[in-house]
Amino acid sequence: MSFPTFMDTPPQWPGPAPKETDVVVIGGGVIGVCTALFLARAGKRVVVLEKGRIAAEQSSRNWGWIRVQGRDPDEIPIVLEAADHWRALAQQTNVDIGLRQEGVTYLAETEKEYTRYEAWLDHAQAYGLDSRMLDSAETAKLIPNLSRSYSGAIYTAQDMRAEPWVAVPALAGIAVREGATVVEDCAVRGLDIEGGKVAGVITEQGRIKAPEVVLAGGAWSALFLQRHGIFVPQLSVRATVVATKPMDAGYKGGATDSKVAFRHRADGGYSLAQGGFSELFVGPHAFRSLRHYVTQLRADPFGVRLLPRAPAGYPDAWGTPRSWADDDVSPFERMRVLNPAPNTRKAAKLLRQFAQMMPGLGTVKPARTWAGMIDTMPDIVPVVDRVAAIPGLTVGTGMSGHGFGIGPGMGRVLAALVTGDKVGHDLHRFRLSRFSDGSAMTLGPGI
Ligand SMILES: NCCCC(=O)O
């Protein structure tokens, strides 16, 4: 199977879009697809509008980790719910989405790091998770091919993995089967607002009437909102992944140290990346958002590499229009699939470092390299909220590199925000107003 997803994948759901519905979901990534699924289950007529292909941006380019380990405490109950959904959904599709419970391990290179991971166990215990600390010998036993010894690790056996490029389209298939409509190649240019509230959307195929809209636009969300006068300091950062060819496997979960994160894939290869490192193309929205990122930059000055300018057409490129008329071709149609060139030096380094880290696995041969643009936030936790200034609009964005695993949980929560059903989780941490209400910033764990 080819992965990740590109624009040359034939559309599975070409439309046409209906003229009227109960809810429009903008964006066919994991968050949008899962929101639509749960809205359909709630009896709503729901349409997902995707400008390119389902899951073709970060939802097929991520690591494929479904983890509770290391999460921000306020995300834990939602990702636990998501894990239950993942297990159920994997049974509700006849596609093997590669869901396996193989665990996630954070390797501690120093005692200080070990102590930091250990501190997170308080949260694990509060939720009865099976996370535990491993000493140096236990770590070597869990991951037998490691070339060096670590101070230890934190390990969560209940964590899972899946193949994102298979899983998210499979979830879209379930949503369609349960009554949702999915339309690819259909960009939303903007909201149709009447009397100060949502009346629908204006798409490249015309107007769709709907009293409720959910924006799950990933890296494009801030640009979309800016056109409607809503500022959200959401940026997008490039993250490179390199996939190896199939090779010997010992440990089949996900693991990371400071240099390399790896996940065993269903096809027998490994996906490699570097946690805690991303690249930001600086543009006007980055400047506008800068004051919100000071805390993050101070805490981790080397976590983000700054690049002078985004390629043309990117959400925060200098030349990208910030406003346009409803009958103008929008930036979303001009860039159907955001497919950043990977950092090839980083990819080569990852391959070398993985070979050094796990010499017993044999020769590390690259299969393919890609990059994605991760929608991120100053405090590294998402925005999941109703937009007070525009009644009828709900936003789920800024998943900050950990949206795949939590996707079904966030989708169910977003659906509940729309229907008024019980949300079941405290969303205070994820409110949009936190960037303007004077509250102190609390950083979540890294991207
Ligand atoms: N982006 C790094 C962590 C992987 C994940 O939880 O999806």
Side-chain angles (χ1 to χ4, degrees):
M1 151 132 221
S2 166
F3 57 87
T5 307
F6 298 102
M7 193 55 200
D8 60 5
T9 306
Q12 210 179 330
W13 294 285
K19 297 280 175 231
E20 191 193 345
T21 187
D22 295 329
V23 190
V24 165
V25 175
I26 303 172
V30 67
I31 303 300
V33 159
C34 291
T35 303
L37 169 62
F38 287 101
L39 284 165
R41 285 186 177 174
K44 295 289 178 192
R45 294 175 302 161
V46 54
V47 182
V48 179
L49 300 175
E50 165 51 52
K51 64 186 172 54
R53 296 288 175 269
I54 291 296
E57 296 191 339
Q58 194 51 25
S59 286
S60 71
R61 293 159 190 261
N62 64 77
W63 301 4
W65 288 20
I66 300 172
R67 80 179 153 94
V68 63
Q69 178 171 290
R71 288 262 175 186
D72 185 88
D74 288 290
E75 288 185 357
I76 292 174
I78 306 177
V79 78
L80 287 175
E81 178 186 334
D84 288 341
H85 291 311
W86 274 115
R87 281 185 279 267
L89 290 164
Q91 301 299 315
Q92 290 157 20
T93 169
N94 56 8
V95 178
D96 180 3
I97 64 168
L99 188 73
R100 306 281 185 273
Q101 188 179 311
E102 301 281 3
V104 160
T105 307
Y106 290 177
L107 298 158
E109 290 167 47
T110 60
E111 289 303 322
K112 193 174 161 201
E113 201 166 24
Y114 183 94
T115 306
R116 186 162 60 83
Y117 292 151
E118 196 170 32
W120 186 84
L121 280 186
D122 288 346
H123 304 301
Q125 273 150 16
Y127 286 96
L129 310 181
D130 66 5
S131 307
R132 64 193 170 94
M133 300 308 293
L134 306 181
D135 66 21
S136 187
E138 289 168 323
T139 304
K141 194 166 166 211
L142 178 73
I143 310 180
N145 298 291
L146 292 169
S147 61
R148 60 160 282 187
S149 108
Y150 289 85
S151 298
I154 181 168
Y155 169 59
T156 301
Q158 73 191 76
D159 279 342
M160 299 185 284
R161 62 177 171 85
E163 306 306 318
W165 41 84
V166 185
V168 180
L171 300 186
I174 299 172
V176 169
R177 201 178 65 209
E178 299 201 16
T181 300
V182 172
V183 186
E184 295 168 291
D185 279 329
C186 186
V188 177
R189 292 177 175 170
L191 298 170
D192 183 13
I193 295 178
E194 282 175 19
K197 60 183 189 201
V198 167
V201 291
I202 313 293
T203 81
E204 62 181 306
Q205 296 177 17
R207 193 174 300 258
I208 302 177
K209 280 177 69 174
E212 293 285 343
V213 171
V214 177
L215 176 62
W220 300 91
S221 304
L223 179 62
F224 187 95
L225 289 168
Q226 186 175 350
R227 189 194 164 204
H228 291 286
I230 307 285
F231 170 76
V232 53
Q234 174 249 312
L235 299 176
S236 47
V237 291
R238 180 173 73 168
T240 292
V241 181
V242 54
T244 75
K245 291 196 167 154
M247 49 196 299
D248 294 343
Y251 171 76
K252 290 191 175 172
T256 185
D257 68 7
S258 68
K259 298 191 189 76
V260 192
F262 64 86
R263 174 185 66 94
H264 192 252
R265 289 192 315 276
D267 68 1
Y270 284 87
S271 291
L272 314 178
Q274 185 185 7
F277 174 77
S278 57
E279 295 171 299
L280 174 74
F281 296 107
V282 178
H285 192 64
F287 273 105
R288 222 175 145 211
S289 305
L290 180 62
R291 68 187 175 88
H292 296 283
Y293 283 85
V294 171
T295 308
Q296 189 186 133
L297 288 168
R298 280 205 186 114
D300 186 12
F302 303 110
V304 181
R305 178 172 167 241
L306 301 181
L307 300 170
R309 71 176 54 158
Y314 277 38
D316 197 24
W318 290 94
T320 297
R322 311 290 146 167
S323 66
W324 52 91
D326 287 343
D327 53 2
D328 285 346
V329 173
S330 69
F332 315 120
E333 295 144 83
R334 294 187 194 281
M335 180 71 76
R336 299 247 172 221
V337 169
L338 192 48
N339 176 31
N343 179 333
T344 49
R345 287 179 61 179
K346 170 62 70 184
K349 196 168 170 189
L350 284 166
L351 289 163
R352 279 198 310 276
Q353 287 170 326
F354 185 59
Q356 284 160 10
M357 184 189 203
M358 308 275 274
L361 293 185
T363 312
V364 180
K365 293 190 188 138
R368 68 197 67 175
T369 306
W370 67 86
M373 297 298 288
I374 293 173
D375 49 321
T376 189
M377 301 300 301
D379 48 6
I380 326 180
V381 292
V383 171
V384 182
D385 204 356
R386 302 279 285 170
V387 179
I390 307 180
L393 179 62
T394 302
V395 175
T397 192
M399 296 292 149
S400 300
H402 39 271
F404 175 68
I406 206 169
M410 285 299 188
R412 207 277 308 156
V413 163
L414 285 158
L417 285 175
V418 171
T419 59
D421 290 339
K422 197 164 164 267
V423 167
H425 302 295
D426 182 357
L427 300 184
H428 183 74
R429 174 109 166 95
F430 310 121
R431 72 200 184 284
L432 180 57
S433 64
R434 68 188 192 264
F435 304 108
S436 55
D437 64 9
S439 27
M441 185 168 299
T442 307
L443 290 181
I447 293 171

